[in-house]
Amino acid sequence: MKFQMTRSIVENRGVNYTFTNVATGRNASTFIPVTELTGTPYDASLKMLDNALLNLGAIVEKNSAEYQPASLMSHNRAAVEFSTVSAAFKSTQRAGLIEADGTRKDWAERTAIEPANFGTAAIRARGVAKFDATPDGQRPTLLSVMREQELAGIMEVGALDDLPPEVAQQARERYASLRGIRVSGIQADHTQRPTDTAPLLSGPDVASAQRAAKASFDQLKQRSENIGFVEKALNEVISVVETCCDLHRPQAYRLLTTGSIDVVE
């Protein structure tokens, strides 16, 4: 039984590994976005995972040349830890769990709806009435220009749930950006300054503050996308271990995270 590993570089993104059981044709691939996620919380652990998979490939290829099929898989299973794949997997997993928790809390904070007070209750009610009176096809345009408290009212009554997901998400993101400007006080950092054509120009630069809030929100969205990239890579690494060690998926995951293939029900 022979195993083969191939490694290819995807420019500006990362590396792709394919592990193949030549005898059976079974194979598994994983893409490690090591270049794409440089400078993120995954930087060190993904580099470690890249090196570990390179080590694993060399070991399983060597094992397949030295051991008979009856003992090959036990040696390959030992290689998962010896090659540091298990350590790199757990390190990347920890980083992903921390980021997932952080982005979830950040998103919840940005989209939180405070209880209405005397001043905001009327604005929210008017927003809901305006939304209800608008034809379905015009609602996306309406939502794109609504104020924070109008959007809060619509979200509060669950009206976004009946809209197409992309429209509802855009409305939530607009609300989060507007709320972020108010809560963070970012507007104070963005004021208009006199110019050669408006020497007395002053006051808040709303457009600049909105751009800054959008940039902050775009960073949060990128963090969420990165979580998806990393989770996909980890899922693929589990598949690689399945293939190299002839295991069922729950066993492969247990081997990576505990060093044992015994699955606890």
Side-chain angles (χ1 to χ4, degrees):
M1 185 179 293
K2 182 180 178 183
F3 277 90
Q4 186 177 62
M5 181 272 287
T6 59
R7 179 181 186 269
S8 58
I9 296 174
V10 181
E11 190 174 0
N12 298 322
R13 293 202 62 214
V15 291
N16 194 75
Y17 287 88
T18 299
F19 289 75
T20 303
N21 182 328
V22 178
T24 65
R26 182 182 181 186
N27 67 75
S29 297
T30 179
F31 174 71
I32 309 301
V34 62
T35 308
E36 194 168 15
L37 298 187
T38 296
T40 71
Y42 311 104
D43 193 341
S45 58
L46 287 178
K47 287 175 181 173
M48 181 180 175
L49 190 55
D50 178 19
N51 289 329
L53 288 167
L54 193 60
N55 292 338
L56 179 65
I59 294 171
V60 297
E61 285 181 348
K62 183 172 181 290
N63 285 350
S64 66
E66 293 183 356
Y67 298 103
Q68 295 298 314
S71 62
L72 175 60
M73 292 307 171
S74 63
H75 286 88
N76 282 358
R77 291 168 191 172
V80 171
E81 181 172 358
F82 182 71
S83 66
T84 70
V85 167
S86 57
F89 181 95
K90 288 184 285 188
S91 176
T92 306
Q93 184 183 39
R94 281 193 299 272
L97 288 170
I98 291 170
E99 273 292 279
D101 185 58
T103 54
R104 190 163 46 245
K105 289 178 178 176
D106 197 346
W107 173 252
E109 168 59 28
R110 288 172 186 250
T111 57
I113 301 174
E114 297 132 343
N117 56 38
F118 180 78
T120 60
I123 300 173
R124 293 183 187 185
R126 286 197 300 270
V128 172
K130 193 187 304 182
F131 179 85
D132 289 341
T134 301
D136 290 353
Q138 297 175 24
R139 285 177 173 175
T141 301
L142 174 68
L143 291 169
S144 70
V145 296
M146 276 188 152
R147 294 180 294 167
E148 176 197 347
Q149 290 304 319
E150 290 177 319
L151 289 167
I154 290 168
M155 293 168 63
E156 203 169 33
V157 300
L160 293 183
D161 298 340
D162 298 326
L163 297 175
E166 64 277 10
V167 175
Q169 182 63 16
Q170 287 170 4
R172 292 189 182 96
E173 291 179 8
R174 175 172 171 77
Y175 169 78
S177 293
L178 293 173
R179 183 175 185 275
I181 292 172
R182 177 176 58 83
V183 173
S184 68
I186 194 174
Q187 184 64 75
D189 298 327
H190 297 270
T191 57
Q192 299 186 96
R193 301 180 182 280
T195 69
D196 61 326
T197 57
L200 297 181
L201 185 64
S202 64
D205 188 339
V206 176
S208 177
Q210 288 178 342
R211 286 194 296 272
K214 183 181 183 302
S216 174
F217 197 82
D218 286 346
Q219 289 178 353
L220 176 61
K221 288 198 294 183
Q222 186 61 61
R223 287 174 63 195
S224 297
E225 288 181 16
N226 290 348
I227 291 168
F229 297 151
V230 170
E231 185 166 41
K232 182 175 183 292
L234 292 176
N235 270 314
E236 291 170 348
V237 170
I238 298 171
S239 297
V240 164
V241 172
E242 281 185 82
T243 298
C244 291
C245 301
D246 193 26
L247 296 172
H248 296 299
R249 190 170 185 82
Q251 292 176 310
Y253 179 71
R254 286 277 295 172
L255 182 62
L256 282 162
T257 56
T258 71
S260 168
I261 63 172
D262 297 327
V263 178
V264 179
E265 298 294 338

